[in-house]
Amino acid sequence: MKKLIAGNWKMNGSIESAIDLIDGIEKAITEQPALLEKCDFLVCPPALHMMAVQGSLENVSLGAQNCAATDNGAYTGEISAAMLADLGVSYVILGHSERREYFGESDADVNAKAAKAIENGLNVIICVGETEEQRDQGVQNDIVGAQLAASIPNNANADNMVIAYEPVWAIGTGKTATADDVAAMHGFIRDFLSSRHSGEGRERILYGGSMKPGNAAELLATPNVDGGLIGGASLKVDDFIGIGKAA
Ligand code: PGA
């Protein structure tokens, strides 16, 4: 399976910088086409920048960072899955820990959004992960297991869903989980997915949290790590492509 190298640009940049970034990424991939033998690339710009980067996309797919749980209608400020699909978006990140923490998104919210996204033909990247306190208490499997059980909608399967394991304490902090901890958690998630699909469980499972060119080779070589969800390092062409090279 190719690794999915996914950039989560979060709420950063301008229209101009977004176009520069995607142009740089596309140019680097064109110059090193072997990257595409091992990796699929995805960028998830801020919603307002998606149309601006679209004209530059050749080898990179387009994703969104959120969507509404409802169909089109009177929901001021929301963006529906149908609108994303209409734009040609292929993925949507859901349940990122920043959305869970700052915007109060619950597992039930993530489940409803994911169901709607899949209904509209999008692939979902459902994020899960424990806090530092929960890891210190040794309850990370209970936390992630409960998030998976409640966040994954009934219409999700290995062809339309990716799981991203992002330990909250590793996001944007420069701290990464050890390869052993990542292997243990990804194995746990794989088992969960296999039992859910009566023995299939071939979903991609991404690791996220301070992934950089320097630690990507080890993380991406860890069993059951099928790619990365990359925040800070996805905002620089060299770092993002460097992670692809590490794969
Ligand atoms: P980071 O963010 O790479 O900056 O830690 C990862 C994420 O939030 O998806």
Side-chain angles (χ1 to χ4, degrees):
M1 190 185 338
K2 284 195 200 179
K3 304 283 188 196
L4 179 61
I5 307 298
N8 174 9
W9 294 2
K10 306 193 181 181
M11 194 172 73
N12 288 297
S14 61
I15 291 175
E16 197 183 342
S17 71
I19 294 172
D20 284 349
L21 182 52
I22 189 60
D23 284 347
I25 291 168
E26 287 286 1
K27 180 164 176 280
I29 295 173
T30 308
E31 287 167 0
Q32 303 161 82
L35 284 169
L36 294 172
E37 288 164 24
K38 298 274 182 196
C39 304
D40 291 324
F41 289 93
L42 168 71
V43 293
C44 303
L48 279 175
H49 298 168
M50 287 194 296
M51 280 182 89
V53 308
Q54 217 175 14
S56 301
L57 297 173
E58 282 176 42
N59 294 302
V60 178
S61 302
L62 185 60
Q65 299 174 15
N66 185 26
C67 75
T70 52
D71 291 319
N72 293 343
Y75 300 99
T76 303
E78 289 290 273
I79 295 175
S80 71
M83 290 171 179
L84 296 177
D86 186 34
L87 190 66
V89 167
S90 43
Y91 283 86
V92 57
I93 300 171
L94 294 170
H96 190 282
S97 66
E98 288 152 14
R99 302 242 21 120
R100 291 175 185 267
E101 184 179 349
Y102 306 140
F103 303 97
E105 277 187 18
S106 65
D107 290 326
D109 295 327
V110 177
N111 188 308
K113 289 178 175 202
K116 199 49 81 181
I118 291 168
E119 208 178 291
N120 283 278
L122 301 176
N123 299 298
V124 295
I125 301 179
I126 296 182
C127 304
V128 295
E130 81 286 356
T131 63
E132 187 153 36
E133 197 185 356
Q134 290 161 340
R135 177 155 286 266
D136 289 345
Q137 290 165 359
V139 295
Q140 63 272 12
N141 287 10
D142 298 337
I143 297 296
V144 169
Q147 287 174 334
L148 291 169
S151 301
I152 298 176
N154 289 335
N155 58 355
N157 59 45
D159 297 318
N160 58 30
M161 176 175 68
V162 172
I163 299 294
Y165 168 57
E166 301 203 300
V168 178
W169 47 272
I171 296 176
T173 58
K175 295 187 208 168
T176 38
T178 64
D180 284 350
D181 288 343
V182 174
M185 181 56 83
H186 280 234
F188 170 77
I189 295 172
R190 180 73 66 209
D191 289 347
F192 178 96
L193 295 171
S194 302
S195 61
R196 180 177 179 271
H197 294 306
S198 2
E200 251 205 292
R202 46 183 183 80
E203 286 85 353
R204 276 166 159 165
I205 307 173
L206 312 183
Y207 170 80
S210 299
M211 191 182 273
K212 307 181 210 37
N215 60 23
E218 186 186 21
L219 288 165
L220 292 170
T222 300
N224 290 308
V225 176
D226 306 309
L229 183 55
I230 302 137
S234 73
L235 296 172
K236 293 199 187 114
V237 174
D238 289 350
D239 287 352
F240 189 60
I241 294 297
I243 292 171
K245 280 192 204 159

